[in-house]
Amino acid sequence: MSAYTAVQLVEVLIAIGLVLYGVRADAVPVTLLGAGYLIAKAVLNILAIEGGTVYRRSVIGYALGGAVVLAGLVLLHFR
């Protein structure tokens, strides 16, 4: 296993921990943060097939993940 793969797996485990903690503690913002991070990692890896730099894929993935988190927080605020 390469170092890059190991780091990816550790990051995913941390995000899963955030989601589970947020659900258990009934903390919606923490759950959204973990879910947004998982979405960002998924998009980053999905775009790997197309090629391009890790930087480009990261910007796209984390922007989409951040948009999901912000949308969730807006929905939470107006519920």
Side-chain angles (χ1 to χ4, degrees):
M1 178 183 325
S2 71
Y4 180 77
T5 303
V7 169
Q8 292 278 328
L9 289 173
V10 169
E11 289 177 345
V12 168
L13 289 174
I14 290 169
I16 290 169
L18 279 172
V19 170
L20 293 176
Y21 173 78
V23 168
R24 178 71 176 116
D26 199 24
V28 176
V30 176
T31 305
L32 282 171
L33 183 64
Y37 191 69
L38 285 173
I39 290 168
K41 298 303 289 179
V43 169
L44 190 149
N45 289 319
I46 289 168
L47 291 176
I49 297 168
E50 289 185 5
T53 64
V54 173
Y55 178 75
R56 177 185 158 274
R57 293 181 293 146
S58 295
V59 168
I60 294 169
Y62 290 117
L64 183 59
V68 169
V69 171
L70 287 176
L73 291 174
V74 168
L75 290 173
L76 177 64
H77 179 74
F78 290 110
R79 72 174 171 160

